[in-house]
Amino acid sequence: QLHFVESGGGVVQPGESLRLSCAASGEFTLDYYMVGWFRQAPGKEREGVSCITQRDYTKKYADSVKGRFTISRDTAKNMVYLQMNSLKPEDTGIYYCAAQLSPICSQNQNDFHNWGQGTQVLVFA
């Protein structure tokens, strides 16, 4: 079964940056998967933040993070990253990566069956 480990979360001030990493466990190759980043703020439902298809053909972002967040892959390291710049307090939450064998970039959590345990991001002054 495919598992993920997210890392890179932390406590930062508004305007600062973080880079989240998503690593696949075992012998799974993330390049074969469409990968999504999601987040869940306290008291709110989990929402899609970004997704990337195989071979980086398509990348999508939620309107709230466009221009500030960048999703990318490192094939050699079998990792997917989420670079988050100009962080705002409303970016606070637990961030999850998920993957699915699908050619369609999706930010809908119902399209994913393989999830990580999440990494906490806290943005406050």
Side-chain angles (χ1 to χ4, degrees):
Q1 188 176 1
L2 181 60
H3 292 288
F4 304 98
V5 177
E6 300 97 332
S7 61
V11 180
V12 296
Q13 294 185 337
E16 294 185 339
S17 300
L18 285 172
R19 188 179 76 159
L20 306 184
S21 300
C22 174
S25 63
E27 299 180 356
F28 293 97
T29 301
L30 271 181
D31 266 9
Y32 298 157
Y33 291 80
M34 181 269 294
V35 177
W37 279 100
F38 295 79
R39 66 186 180 190
Q40 187 166 19
K44 294 186 178 181
E45 293 187 357
R46 189 159 51 188
E47 63 173 352
V49 174
S50 183
C51 60
I52 184 169
T53 57
Q54 298 89 336
R55 303 177 184 174
D56 302 354
Y57 286 162
T58 301
K59 300 177 184 180
K60 291 185 178 180
Y61 300 92
D63 289 341
S64 58
V65 306
K66 281 180 182 177
R68 300 188 298 121
F69 289 13
T70 303
I71 191 170
S72 63
R73 293 180 185 269
D74 186 327
T75 300
K77 295 182 178 179
N78 202 24
M79 301 275 281
V80 172
Y81 302 103
L82 185 69
Q83 177 67 44
M84 307 188 297
N85 298 329
S86 302
L87 282 162
K88 304 176 180 180
E90 51 263 44
D91 295 319
T92 292
I94 300 174
Y95 282 69
Y96 301 88
C97 70
Q100 202 59 29
L101 284 171
S102 169
I104 300 173
C105 205
S106 173
Q107 296 175 76
N108 184 337
Q109 61 175 329
N110 295 320
D111 292 333
F112 294 83
H113 304 289
N114 304 292
W115 292 84
Q117 83 293 343
T119 184
Q120 176 76 55
V121 172
L122 179 59
V123 184
F124 80 106

